[in-house]
Amino acid sequence: RRTLRAEEVALGGGRASDALLAELVTDPDRVDALPTAVRRPVRRVVDVLAAAATAGRATGATVLDVLWAVWD
């Protein structure tokens, strides 16, 4: 949060950290632009959420399918 917010302020923006975090989830490529020190854990969270979304969109998917996708 702090890194995203500091970056936003440095670029003259005024968005809150919540909005910046939401942007990472919807634009996973943005994670690669983060500083190395914070990139890895953020990438893991974004990848887990993407796996859940993909599993949930599958035809006939159940809650268990989504949970297993997250677990893997």
Side-chain angles (χ1 to χ4, degrees):
R1 281 183 178 260
R2 284 180 275 170
T3 301
L4 291 171
R5 183 73 178 118
E7 199 176 79
E8 176 76 2
V9 170
L11 295 172
R15 294 179 292 171
S17 59
D18 290 348
L20 299 170
L21 287 170
E23 181 181 305
L24 283 177
V25 173
T26 59
D27 184 10
D29 293 333
R30 172 121 165 65
V31 175
D32 296 331
L34 292 173
T36 305
V38 297
R39 183 181 313 137
R40 191 175 194 186
V42 173
R43 171 57 66 197
R44 281 189 297 227
V45 170
V46 168
D47 288 348
V48 165
L49 292 173
T54 299
R57 284 191 298 269
T59 302
T62 66
V63 171
L64 286 176
D65 296 324
V66 174
L67 290 173
W68 279 114
V70 168
W71 181 262
D72 287 339

